[in-house]
Amino acid sequence: MALVRYNNRMAPAFRTLWDDEALAPFFGRPQANWSPRMDVLEIGGVLHLEAELPGVPKDDVTITFENGLLTVTGERKAGEAVEGTRHFARERWFGAFSRSFRLGNGYDAKQIEATFKDGVLSISIPKKAETLPVTVEIH
C-alpha cells in the first residue's frame, strides 16, 4: 500500500479564515491582544531584533532583560472617540502588547542598545565574550 500525500487546495483559505482575528468570535475563539511583528537575527555575535510599532510613541515602550528573558512591552492607544462617528472598518489593533524571547544568559545585558526610528524599534545585544567561539591553535 502506498501513502499518498493529501492535497486540498482549499485548506489554505480555511486556515486563513481560522487564523483571522477579526473572525475569531464567529469561530468560537476569543480575540487575542495584538502583537507586533518582529525579526530576530544574529550577525557576528550580536543579536538584532526589530519590531514594527507604527503609531506607538517610544515613551510607551519598555524593554527588560532578566534571567535570559528579553521582553518588549508597550501600548498603542486608540484615537479619541468622536461623537457621531460611524466606523465602516476597523482593522488596526490597539491596546497593550508584550513579546518575550528566551535568549539564555549568553548575552551581555549591560551592552544592550535600542533605537526607535520611523515606527521601527531596533534592539542589539552582543554575546558575552566567554560565549563567543574560540579558535584553538594546534601545536
Side-chain angles (χ1 to χ4, degrees), residues 25-54:
F26 299 106
F27 288 105
R29 295 185 305 116
Q31 284 185 302
N33 288 337
W34 78 283
S35 182
R37 304 285 188 208
M38 295 186 77
D39 292 336
V40 181
L41 57 136
E42 185 177 307
I43 302 171
V46 178
L47 189 68
H48 298 276
L49 297 95
E50 290 190 345
E52 293 180 347
L53 299 172

Side-chain angles (χ1 to χ4, degrees), residues 58-118:
K58 84 174 180 179
D59 293 338
D60 289 349
V61 178
T62 303
I63 303 166
T64 58
F65 187 69
E66 184 177 5
N67 296 324
L69 184 69
L70 178 80
T71 302
V72 178
T73 57
E75 183 175 5
R76 180 166 47 204
K77 297 178 175 107
E80 293 193 26
V82 178
E83 191 174 327
T85 301
R86 293 188 323 160
H87 288 277
F88 294 101
R90 192 152 195 179
E91 298 178 348
R92 297 181 301 147
W93 288 91
F94 297 97
F97 65 85
S98 180
R99 293 290 309 265
S100 294
F101 297 90
R102 171 98 22 225
L103 305 178
N105 293 317
Y107 292 92
D108 192 348
K110 294 178 183 171
Q111 300 295 321
I112 294 175
E113 293 182 6
T115 59
F116 196 87
K117 182 178 179 187
D118 297 332

